[in-house]
């Protein structure tokens, strides 16, 4: 794609492995509601907003809940999730991330966060990366969830870069679609057999370099 003018990172599953904490919190809620929730089910919640995730969970359990009950359930899940992420530290940053961020800095390539999570600021502070991002766009500041491109377009805007010169890193199908809809070059992080539509794929950030993007 040529040298990128900016990079936008998804958070959960790209910078940190928080999926396990989301899974534990949703599973506990499912247990309390009286049905089983598996790791395979949890795949459907990746990249999906909190309320949409709850709706999928309730669909799996075959349950109907009122709006106020849903608010209570989502708050209960989030309270436990926040307890789990409140003890995270920099040791949970995924392999290759710090090295790649350093490389971007050396090349003067700014980078932003583009996450669906309302807990993104807390997580970034816990792992010591909050100050390093040139812009943070998260679930608190967007109105349309991925696969809508809003989160990434806002990131490009905040970095004053045209979308076509941005690279997105995403581990979720909805996020890859959002990045492509934004007109960006998308790198899928994970299994290319599971993630469709990205321009390139890596298993972990350890495989990524600026020169790979330049090619
Ligand atoms: C995404 C995660 O980054 O954020 C989803 O992949 C999660 O699993 C979503 O549901 C919303 O997170 P939060 O922290 O606002 O509940
Ligand atoms: Mg993700």
């Amino acid at each position: 794609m040529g040298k990128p003018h900016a990079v936008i990172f998804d958070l959960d599953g790209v910078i940190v492995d928080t999926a396990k904490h989301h899974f534990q919190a949703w599973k506990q809620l499912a247990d309390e509601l009286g049905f089983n929730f598996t790791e395979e089910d949890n795949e459907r919640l990746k990249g999906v907003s909190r309320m949409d995730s709850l709706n999928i969970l309730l669909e799996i359990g075959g349950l109907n809940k009122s709006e106020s009950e849903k608010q209570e359930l989502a708050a209960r899940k989030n309270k436990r999730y926040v307890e789990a992420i409140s003890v995270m530290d920099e040791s949970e940053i995924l392999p290759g991330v710090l090295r790649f961020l350093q490389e971007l800095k050396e090349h003067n390539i700014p980078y932003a966060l583009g996450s669906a999570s309302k807990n993104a600021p807390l997580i970034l502070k816990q792992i010591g990366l909050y100050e390093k991002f040139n812009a943070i766009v998260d679930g608190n500041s967007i109105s349309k969830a991925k696969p809508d491109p809003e989160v990434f377009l806002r990131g490009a805007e905040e970095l004053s870069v045209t979308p076509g010169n941005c690279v997105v890193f995403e581990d979720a199908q909805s996020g890859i679609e959002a990045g492509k809809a934004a007109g960006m070059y998308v790198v899928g992080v994970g299994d290319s057999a599971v993630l469709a539509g990205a321009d390139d794929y890596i298993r972990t950030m350890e495989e990524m370099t600026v020169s790979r993007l330049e090619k």
Side-chain angles (χ1 to χ4, degrees):
M1 72 161 292
K3 190 167 176 166
H5 295 188
V7 172
I8 307 180
F9 294 94
D10 173 49
L11 175 66
D12 297 312
V14 171
I15 304 230
V16 278
D17 176 20
T18 39
K20 60 185 179 215
H21 301 307
H22 278 298
F23 174 63
Q24 288 304 331
W26 286 125
K27 186 165 175 48
Q28 192 173 347
L29 195 65
D31 287 346
E32 289 161 356
L33 292 169
F35 64 92
N36 193 32
F37 179 69
T38 67
E39 287 211 49
E40 199 187 332
D41 294 328
N42 193 54
E43 286 300 309
R44 291 177 61 192
L45 308 190
K46 286 189 178 168
V48 177
S49 74
R50 192 180 307 163
M51 266 304 162
D52 289 347
S53 297
L54 177 66
N55 285 328
I56 294 171
L57 186 95
L58 292 174
E59 182 199 305
I60 290 167
L63 297 176
N64 269 317
K65 295 285 176 190
S66 70
E67 211 35 58
S68 63
E69 285 171 313
K70 283 184 190 177
Q71 293 297 337
E72 187 276 316
L73 292 170
R76 204 196 298 174
K77 180 268 174 179
N78 190 56
K79 187 168 175 285
R80 288 169 185 151
Y81 178 66
V82 168
E83 276 165 19
I85 59 177
S86 295
V87 294
M88 285 177 86
D89 62 26
E90 61 275 9
S91 69
E92 294 197 49
I93 298 172
L94 286 169
V97 170
L98 289 177
R99 193 239 351 113
F100 185 55
L101 294 182
Q102 181 59 30
E103 199 189 339
L104 290 175
K105 194 177 166 203
E106 284 159 13
H107 285 263
N108 290 314
I109 300 171
Y111 51 88
L113 192 84
S115 169
S117 174
K118 294 184 172 172
N119 293 302
L122 171 61
I123 294 170
L124 287 182
K125 283 175 191 157
Q126 286 299 129
I127 61 176
L129 290 181
Y130 186 78
E131 307 292 338
K132 298 214 172 184
F133 281 80
N134 300 94
I136 293 172
V137 186
D138 63 28
N140 301 296
S141 51
I142 52 162
S143 55
K144 286 172 256 152
K146 300 171 188 176
D148 189 282
E150 182 187 9
V151 62
F152 295 132
L153 291 174
R154 282 276 303 286
E157 206 178 292
E158 293 201 16
L159 297 175
S160 305
V161 171
T162 44
N165 290 321
C166 290
V167 176
V168 165
F169 287 92
E170 256 297 346
D171 73 314
Q173 188 59 42
S174 60
I176 289 176
E177 287 163 22
K180 289 315 296 174
M184 298 178 179
Y185 183 89
V186 179
V187 180
V189 183
D191 188 349
S192 61
V194 178
L195 298 171
D199 298 291
D200 190 9
Y201 291 93
I202 52 173
R203 281 289 183 168
T204 77
M205 210 52 84
E206 285 172 303
E207 294 165 36
M208 188 39 62
T209 58
V210 171
S211 69
R212 176 166 172 159
L213 294 172
E214 280 170 337
K215 277 173 197 149

